[in-house]
Amino acid sequence: MGMTLRVVVPPHPLIGHWLSVLRDGTTPPALYASAMAELGRWLTYEALRDWLPHRRLVITTPDGSAEGDVVDPDVPLLAVPMLRAGLGLWQGAQAVLPAARVAHVGLARASTTAEPDWYLDALPAPIPERMGVLVFAPVIASGTSLAAVLERLQALGVGGPRLRVVTALAASPGLKLLGERFPELTLYAACIDAEVNGAGSIVPGIGDPDMRLFGSAA
């Protein structure tokens, strides 16, 4: 049986609440940033539920002993925020993964084509074989920018179960593209919207995250 893209939309009321704050066109920048961070935190928590490496050990309590689970420090994690608005998601996720290594990537849409141009690639080379990689994409509209990042990771040997994506919002066209190119990918999103308009924006969407977080689309 062939692999298919796995998209998880956690049915958590707090995820729904913070997504609604992002959707509201009257939300001020400071609250928008808080909502993005909260989504980063809750979606990362959900993404780690069955993925974060852990091990059991015996803990000595003040009154006896008990078995417990702890995060396995021998399996490193790499967080990859896509600049700039991916930093908004990572701000919340960092509280969940304070020990993760961070590698920023930056892509912008080329002025003459729809293909993304790289302006920053801080991905380490090589990436250790046991390292889990979590990519933070603010939104997935056409999917081309995220696909470029995933292709770069693929060239570094990263894919399959040790790779996951966290995004505030995904559109059906972008998911179709990702499903065709990366069928083993697992992705966590607050919601899936059906359309992308002629300007490349998700409809109804959450507006332009770069503009609403930082006051600039560049």
Side-chain angles (χ1 to χ4, degrees), residues 37-58:
E38 287 295 328
L39 279 184
R41 181 162 68 99
W42 286 102
L43 289 170
T44 299
Y45 174 86
E46 293 291 339
L48 298 177
R49 183 187 295 273
D50 63 350
W51 187 68
L52 188 64
H54 61 280
R55 63 188 184 192
R56 293 191 67 79
L57 48 69
V58 176

Side-chain angles (χ1 to χ4, degrees), residues 106-174:
L107 301 93
R109 181 176 297 181
S111 57
T112 56
T113 70
E115 295 302 312
D117 278 342
W118 287 81
Y119 61 87
L120 178 65
D121 179 2
L123 293 171
I127 295 177
E129 291 184 2
R130 298 187 68 202
M131 177 173 273
V133 179
L134 198 57
V135 178
F136 294 90
V139 295
I140 299 171
S142 69
T144 54
S145 292
L146 177 57
V149 174
L150 297 178
E151 286 172 356
R152 187 68 57 91
L153 287 167
Q154 198 172 59
L156 293 170
V158 177
R162 70 171 175 140
L163 172 65
R164 293 201 170 182
V165 173
V166 168
T167 185
L169 183 66
S172 296

Side-chain angles (χ1 to χ4, degrees), residues 54-60 65-71:
H54 61 280
R55 63 188 184 192
R56 293 191 67 79
L57 48 69
V58 176
I59 302 167
T60 300
S65 63
E67 287 191 347
D69 291 300
V70 296
V71 174

Side-chain angles (χ1 to χ4, degrees), residues 17 62 187:
H17 170 83
L187 186 149

